[in-house]
Amino acid sequence: MSALGCYAASAITAVTVQNTMGVTAVHAVPSEVVAGQIKAVMDDIKPTAVKVGMVNDTDTIHAIAHTIKPYLMEHGGGLRHLVVDPVMVATSGSRLMRDDALQCFCRKLLPLATLLTPNVLEAEVLANMRLTSDDEMDKAALRILNLGCRALLIKGGHIEGEKKDRLYLSSQPDSPQFFVAENIATRNTHGTGCTLSSAITAWLAQGEEVTAAISKAKSYLTAALRAGAEVEIGQGHGPVNHFYQPLSLRATNK
């Protein structure tokens, strides 16, 4: 978000023990502290777009949903967009959301989302079905949209040999839009899903509509992956190069 010219303020939901090799432990921040962080930011800084990332447990999900809801525009607040990235599994394969939290996530948090951004594996969990064809992707999307989110971006499908993301709108569930990106050969893919959802949120905060925000975020991520492809940090999945572009150029590329 900072790389794209936004001011980002965080509410920490969990502390992880991790490096480029993987996640070895997750410690949830007390739910009342999560709620307090959110309220402190919303009351003072008043963001127009918020991204929810990793949520580990039911108490945290309750705290986020209950605290953020009054700030949403449809409830009289100034928050125009809530992007929810259902981070369930890390790049390394480590599980990041408890099984008992899934139902609460679908019931309390997902219906508040302007945009939900699962990858294919997370979409399978949310739709409770395997995704191996275009028809199955469309069927799963409808199941997920029926849970209440306004738009759904299923990231990183490799169906029929082509890598593409699919955007489904609740107003047009049968007409997905496709975003195809260059495949960058690199092991530095740590946090690419989080980067994409954060970049989408940053563009929404700057006034872009959902489709344009996704397109610009995809272009940014591809360029950041390319710029960091040869960097060697750690022994596993290194990060992308978020700050590959000078700030003076970012401001002119809106």
Side-chain angles (χ1 to χ4, degrees):
M1 291 181 181
S2 297
L4 292 173
C6 288
Y7 179 79
S10 297
I12 306 301
T13 62
V15 178
T16 63
V17 179
Q18 67 171 301
N19 53 25
T20 65
M21 302 292 286
V23 180
T24 56
V26 178
H27 176 74
V29 172
S31 58
E32 64 272 18
V33 177
V34 174
Q37 292 178 83
I38 295 170
K39 192 172 188 308
V41 171
M42 300 305 297
D43 286 346
D44 181 31
I45 298 173
K46 305 183 188 302
T48 58
V50 167
K51 188 201 95 165
V52 177
M54 193 192 99
V55 286
N56 177 248
D57 61 281
T58 299
D59 287 346
T60 300
I61 294 169
H62 272 294
I64 294 171
H66 177 76
T67 308
I68 206 74
K69 191 173 183 178
Y71 295 101
L72 291 167
M73 187 167 286
E74 55 265 39
H75 294 278
L79 179 57
R80 296 175 56 240
H81 298 289
L82 182 67
V83 176
V84 178
D85 188 11
V87 183
M88 299 174 179
V89 182
T91 301
S92 61
S94 302
R95 188 67 182 261
L96 298 176
M97 182 186 289
R98 294 180 185 175
D99 292 336
D100 60 355
L102 179 61
Q103 185 176 358
C104 180
F105 175 87
C106 292
R107 189 176 68 253
K108 295 291 185 180
L109 194 55
L110 193 152
L112 304 180
T114 303
L115 175 66
L116 186 72
T117 63
N119 60 31
V120 172
L121 293 177
E122 291 157 350
E124 287 183 338
V125 173
L126 291 168
N128 192 30
M129 60 180 288
R130 288 277 294 161
L131 303 181
T132 59
S133 69
D134 287 336
D135 287 344
E136 288 174 349
M137 291 281 274
D138 294 343
K139 183 178 179 180
L142 187 58
R143 285 189 183 184
I144 297 170
L145 286 172
N146 284 339
L147 295 174
C149 60
R150 278 170 274 172
L152 167 69
L153 180 70
I154 301 180
K155 302 175 298 188
H158 294 271
I159 292 171
E160 296 178 357
E162 186 177 21
K163 181 180 179 181
K164 56 187 176 183
D165 296 351
R166 301 160 187 252
L167 173 65
Y168 298 85
L169 303 177
S170 59
S171 58
Q172 298 174 305
D174 298 325
S175 303
Q177 301 174 53
F178 298 99
F179 300 85
V180 180
E182 176 188 352
N183 187 26
I184 306 297
T186 178
R187 70 175 187 173
N188 294 329
T189 57
H190 189 118
T192 48
C194 297
T195 295
L196 180 64
S197 57
S198 295
I200 293 169
T201 308
W203 286 118
L204 289 172
Q206 295 177 69
E208 298 288 354
E209 296 301 320
V210 169
T211 301
I214 293 171
S215 181
K216 289 189 172 186
K218 290 281 292 181
S219 296
Y220 162 73
L221 177 58
T222 298
L225 279 164
R226 186 186 300 114
E230 302 302 324
V231 177
E232 294 188 11
I233 297 177
Q235 302 172 64
H237 295 283
V240 305
N241 187 351
H242 295 95
F243 287 95
Y244 72 93
Q245 190 177 43
L247 186 57
S248 59
L249 290 179
R250 290 174 222 142
T252 64
N253 287 340
K254 291 182 181 179

